[in-house]
Amino acid sequence: HSFTKLPIHYSSAMSLGLALRPPIPVPNDLETEGMWITRKASTVMSTAGPEGDHRSYPHLGGSKVWREFMRDNVQMLENILDHFGISPYCPIHEHGCNMMGTYTDHYTSTNGQHFKNMWKFTRFFQDNVPLRRVREHAWERWLVPGGGVRFNHLDGELQMFRGPSNAPGLGPDIPFDPGCTTSLPPPQ
């Protein structure tokens, strides 16, 4: 017998119980051009509302809960960047956060090394400073064909931008700044 290979759509495969990897989102998939669009939202919520500092976000309370909240978003980021041949590297490696294994495994390691180094080597965790202000310094951006991808290192939000590499708005509003030296007060 001869079998013909037919393309199968991801949703059809899922309904049949087949384990296929979901399609990798890319900037050209976006309908809107010229603005950052959330592709995978953060799942973290403040227990104190929008003015809460790091203490009001449960995922920032320890490496185990950090791993649980962040792993899916970090994995999606790594898959997207891998699709474009980009190997992300820990943005605080120069402070001793050594990259071991895959980006996702490093970022959400069971020993909590990356999480502990975020606490030790950044000023993201300041008492009485709303996390909404600090998170603006926690974006890291990569240019890819068709636009850009950016990831927030505090809450895991993943966004894409469709447009040429020189498009207004594609550059980060505030560059990744683990020292938060541009507009935050010193720690108390």
Side-chain angles (χ1 to χ4, degrees):
H1 295 312
S2 174
F3 293 97
T4 304
K5 284 187 175 182
L6 296 174
I8 187 164
H9 189 270
Y10 176 73
S11 59
S12 300
M14 294 304 291
S15 68
L16 294 172
L18 301 175
L20 292 181
R21 196 168 147 183
I24 302 291
V26 296
N28 286 334
D29 294 342
L30 299 174
E31 291 182 21
T32 305
E33 188 170 315
M35 63 186 290
W36 287 103
I37 306 290
T38 298
R39 291 307 304 251
K40 189 147 178 75
S42 169
T43 59
V44 300
M45 299 288 289
S46 170
T47 59
E51 295 304 308
D53 67 9
H54 68 92
R55 297 170 293 185
S56 68
Y57 287 82
H59 78 295
L60 298 177
S63 61
K64 183 178 181 197
V65 77
W66 163 269
R67 181 173 55 255
E68 292 168 6
F69 274 98
M70 300 293 277
R71 188 157 183 94
D72 287 347
N73 290 33
V74 175
Q75 184 66 65
M76 179 180 250
L77 170 69
E78 186 173 17
N79 290 345
I80 291 167
L81 294 177
D82 183 60
H83 176 79
F84 291 109
I86 298 170
S87 298
Y89 203 78
C90 178
I92 56 172
H93 69 275
E94 69 273 3
H95 297 292
C97 196
N98 65 338
M99 181 89 171
M100 307 225 10
T102 69
Y103 187 72
T104 302
D105 289 342
H106 166 74
Y107 202 90
T108 60
S109 66
T110 54
N111 70 5
Q113 181 188 18
H114 180 78
F115 177 78
K116 292 170 189 171
N117 283 331
M118 289 274 289
W119 270 88
K120 186 176 180 181
F121 296 118
T122 74
R123 290 186 50 215
F124 290 151
F125 306 96
Q126 295 184 53
D127 293 352
N128 304 314
V129 176
L131 199 70
R132 66 173 176 75
R133 284 185 51 207
V134 178
R135 80 180 292 276
E136 293 306 314
H137 298 273
W139 289 104
E140 186 171 10
R141 175 187 58 102
W142 295 266
L143 294 177
V144 298
V149 176
R150 72 179 182 175
F151 178 76
N152 192 284
H153 286 274
L154 277 175
D155 63 17
E157 184 172 354
L158 177 62
Q159 296 183 343
M160 285 189 169
F161 185 100
R162 182 174 155 217
S165 62
N166 62 351
L170 182 55
D173 299 331
I174 300 172
F176 181 77
D177 180 10
C180 296
T181 56
T182 54
S183 67
L184 296 179
Q188 300 175 358

